[in-house]
Amino acid sequence: MPAPEADVFDRLSALAAIEAPAERPRRTIAETFTGNSLGSVPVGTPADVTAAFDKARAAQQRWAARPVAERAAVLDRYRALVVEHREFLMDVVQAETGKARWAAQEEIMGLMFAARYFAKIAPSVLDTHRVAGAFPVLNRASVRYQPKGVVGVIAPWNYPLLLSIGDSIPALIAGNAVVVKPDSQTPFSTLAGAELLYRAGLPRELLAVVPGPGGVVGTAIVEDCDYLMFTGSSATGRTLAEQCGRRLIGFSAELGGKNPMIVAAGADLDKAAKAAVRACFSNAGQLCISIERLYVERQVAAAFTEKFVAAVHAAKLGAAYDYSADIGSLISEAQLETVSKHVADATSKGAKVLTGGKARPDLGPLFFEPTVLGEVTDEMECGRNETFGPLVSIYPVDSVEEAVRLANDTDYGLNASVWAASKSEGERIAARLHAGTVCVDEGYAPAWGTTGAPMGGMGISGVGRRHGPDGLLKFTEPQSIVVTRFMNLDAPKLFPKDKWQPFLMTVARSLRFLPGR
């Protein structure tokens, strides 16, 4: 099955929020598997971003005035369209990223889960609710939620559909408009997702996709948005956080990870080894929540390593628009160079290649074998730094205690995986790990797919959370409205003024006996 035809990408390109696109410079987008051209998109400018925000602000006020249930219905129709057009969406994602089809399917499932979850919870979570007033009877208090306004989304290239449109879904259902900057390597995936949103009934001005360089379009978005959602490196996240801080606007980010897996004695080694292949090499390891460090108790380390290396060696590396390949391509020369350098650096300093370790130009320009290293130390580039590629290191440890200590010995804290003799033991280990999500007896997918639970990072792995009620409410400004009835806090006419304040203190102290106080 080949990549989609050129006219498909021409159609998607026309959806970009670019003024006078025919007169603009264009960027050619390559099919990652081959390097051949898929098509081109116009390159955005700060003026395009300004125009998109102007239109978005006008549309946002009308959108926010619509009942939440109506906004949710649009997202529910979108979910149905994603299911209907899933094969097309996966084709576009694979063409731009080079990932295996099952990894592209993760993006489709993530969109389905997000649209379904937020459409379901939004009417109740965003509904105005009563809380106890300062003084019962005298005060009636309620909390309501106002949308931020126009949310900026700066999306990455590794999951370009899910981490652009998927992050836009809760912002939209909360009553905001969204301006998205897709990564310059993967604009068509975002545009394909946006196209279905428009077909579901979302006014086009509410979701503007502006392709272009990060230093130009991304900077303009940060300077104009009312809230920023970003996915990318910790270094870029720091810079954006500073820019948002200067403007005093909210900021949420999922950043890098150097994620550990712990395999304790007594774990099912066959299951652990097989699942670890997916956990380490989904999207060729280009995934913030994938595993890069394996800590295995010494008494089972040899057996696990043998099983894991065999499973990795058996994984099929290839370019295919079907499910015949287990692992796909890297996305760029820069990623290929990073992985190659990390492997070369590690082996030059004494690391042992247990399997893989080489580029595979015979399969395509950017393929690299899934690689497992032993005897890795902190002095090696891949020891403490995120590779973001098909490279994982195995570390035998003397105890679970040592595994937990080493797993936590990092500035990152995004995701972790635990395998143990029992679920309860796995949960006890998981609770000791410094990570925003921990999967017991899996790698990452169940935690990501559990949209009712918050997902994000500790340490330099992120700020804020996706998913759960927090993933919706972060796109709102809570407003408290407190009505005072019968009398205010001034002393009544016949009440001695010098006795009034002591009386209020007595009343305040007595409130502790009331339920919920």
Side-chain angles (χ1 to χ4, degrees), residues 102-183:
W102 70 269
Q105 181 174 279
E106 289 183 325
E107 299 205 45
I108 307 306
M109 294 173 67
L111 279 185
M112 291 164 50
F113 292 163
R116 180 180 63 191
Y117 173 74
F118 288 116
K120 181 178 180 180
I121 71 162
S124 60
V125 171
L126 297 176
D127 192 25
T128 299
H129 63 275
R130 294 279 294 274
V131 297
F135 293 95
V137 183
L138 289 182
N139 299 132
R140 184 182 73 240
S142 61
V143 178
R144 64 190 301 273
Y145 298 96
Q146 296 186 3
K148 293 280 189 179
V150 183
V151 172
V153 174
I154 298 179
W157 50 259
N158 61 329
Y159 279 72
L161 174 59
L162 179 56
L163 299 181
S164 59
I165 304 302
D167 279 339
S168 300
I169 285 172
L172 290 166
I173 207 167
N176 300 282
V178 178
V179 176
V180 183
K181 191 205 88 66
D183 188 89

Side-chain angles (χ1 to χ4, degrees), residues 148-316:
K148 293 280 189 179
V150 183
V151 172
V153 174
I154 298 179
W157 50 259
N158 61 329
Y159 279 72
L161 174 59
L162 179 56
L163 299 181
S164 59
I165 304 302
D167 279 339
S168 300
I169 285 172
L172 290 166
I173 207 167
N176 300 282
V178 178
V179 176
V180 183
K181 191 205 88 66
D183 188 89
S184 294
Q185 299 172 96
T186 54
F188 290 127
S189 296
T190 299
L191 290 164
E195 180 182 44
L196 295 186
L197 270 171
Y198 304 148
R199 289 176 58 181
L202 186 78
R204 184 162 170 176
E205 294 80 8
L206 276 173
L207 180 75
V209 180
V210 186
V216 177
V217 172
T219 297
I221 287 176
V222 175
E223 291 172 350
D224 215 342
C225 68
D226 302 305
Y227 187 92
L228 181 67
M229 178 69 213
F230 169 72
T231 305
S233 71
S234 298
T236 302
R238 283 194 181 97
T239 299
L240 293 174
E242 291 172 1
Q243 293 170 344
C244 290
R246 286 194 292 271
R247 291 193 59 223
L248 295 179
I249 63 169
F251 170 72
S252 183
E254 182 195 302
L255 306 174
K258 189 70 176 175
N259 307 302
M261 176 184 286
I262 293 175
V263 181
D268 186 322
L269 300 185
D270 290 314
K271 286 185 177 180
K274 185 176 180 180
V277 177
R278 286 183 286 103
C280 298
F281 302 115
S282 175
N283 195 23
Q286 300 167 118
L287 174 60
C288 295
I289 53 179
S290 66
I291 300 300
E292 291 198 10
R293 297 179 290 152
L294 289 162
Y295 297 105
V296 188
E297 279 204 271
R298 200 171 300 278
Q299 56 263 52
V300 297
F304 173 82
T305 300
E306 181 180 1
K307 293 175 184 294
F308 177 56
V309 168
V312 174
H313 185 73
K316 184 177 179 181

